[in-house]
Amino acid sequence: MRTRPTLTWEPRGDLPPASTDVSAVVDAVRAGGVVVLSGAGLSTESGIPDYRGERGAFRRNHVPMTFQEFTDSAHARRRYWARSQLGWRSLTRARPNSGHRAVAALAGTGRVTGVITQNVDGLQQAAGLRDVVELHGSLSRVTCLFCGHATARSELDARLRAANPGFEAMVEQHRAARVNPDGDVDLPDEAVREFQVVACAACGKEGLKPDVVFFGENVPPERVAACRSLVDGATTLLVLGSSLTVMSGLRFVRQAAQAGTPVLIVNQGPTRGDHWAARRIDLPLGRALNDVLAQVGR
C-alpha cells in the first residue's frame, strides 16, 4: 500500500556522512547487472518538483489526493480533474533532462538491466528507455473504476476541453503555476466549482481515474512481483532521487539488503533507506549520472 506520506522517520546520527564521490556507482555499473529504482528527484531538473526537497510540494503545503477521498467524494473527483487538467498540460511541456538521458544511455550499454520508477510523468520513457516498470502507474492513461475501460489521457483532455470551454482562460491565467509530482496544480475554489467532469465513454458512469496509485491504494500485486524479480536478479540496486519515505519503494531496498545485494543511493538529502545503503552520495542527479556515464563510456 502506498500510504499517506509522513516524515515520522529520523535520519540516523550514527551513519557516516554522504559522499560526493561517484566511484562506487561507476564500479557497480562497469560490473553490470544494475537495477535502478528512481524517484521524483530524477525529474526536478525537468521542472517537476519532488515532494520533500527544499522546493518540494509538501513544503508548499500540497496535500496529495488519497484513494479513499477520490472514490468517496464526487467533489473530490471534480477538484482533482480540474487541477489535473491544468497540471497535465504543464507535464506535456516537460522534457527529459540529462539525468533521464544518462540512465537511458547506461541501459543502452546493457549494464543497467532494469529500471523501476516511482514517477508517473513518463519522462524516462521519453528519454528513450524501452523497458520501465512504472511502480505507481502513469498519468498518460485513464481507467474507469466501474468497467475498467482504459483510454489515453490525451483523449480525456479533448473531452474535458469540450465540456469546459471557459477553462481556457483559466489555463492562461495560471499557466505559470507549478505542477506537482502527482500531476495537478492549485486552483481557486471558483474554478473547481464550475468545472464539469465527464463520464466513462464505455459504460456512461462517472468514475474515471488516472491510472496511477494514489496514496492509500495498493500497488497491483503483479507489478510488485515484477519489481521483486528484477531486484532478485540484480548485482546492485541503485536508488536515484528518492527519499524512500513510503514503503512501496523502500521494500525493494530492504529486499536487496536482506539478500546481500549492495544498495547505492544517490539523493540530495537523507533517505529512509540510508541504514541499508552500502554508499550514500549527495549530488544533483544530472551531474552525478553524467559523471558516471563519462567514466563508464557509452
Side-chain angles (χ1 to χ4, degrees), residues 210-253:
D211 189 17
V212 300
V213 178
F214 282 151
F215 287 99
E217 183 179 7
N218 291 324
V219 178
E222 64 275 9
R223 200 177 298 165
V224 175
C227 294
R228 288 199 179 278
S229 179
L230 283 175
V231 175
D232 275 341
T235 58
T236 300
L237 180 64
L238 176 59
V239 179
L240 301 176
S242 176
S243 66
L244 299 169
T245 303
V246 295
M247 186 56 68
S248 59
L250 179 65
R251 58 182 156 192
F252 302 120
V253 169

Side-chain angles (χ1 to χ4, degrees), residues 13 21 34 74 100 139 143-144 147-148 159 191 195 222 224 237-238 261 266 290:
D21 181 2
V34 174
H100 295 120
L139 287 169
T143 59
C144 177
C147 71
R159 295 181 62 206
F195 194 83
E222 64 275 9
V224 175
L237 180 64
L238 176 59
T261 302
V266 186
N290 279 279

Side-chain angles (χ1 to χ4, degrees), residues 96-120:
N97 61 54
S98 61
H100 295 120
R101 293 191 292 271
V103 173
L106 291 171
T109 69
R111 295 181 173 98
V112 169
T113 55
V115 176
I116 304 165
T117 183
Q118 300 173 86
N119 299 342
V120 295

Side-chain angles (χ1 to χ4, degrees), residues 28 45 49 63 67 86 189 233 255 277 283:
E45 292 174 42
V63 179
F67 182 69
L86 177 54
D189 291 341
Q255 175 191 341
L283 283 174

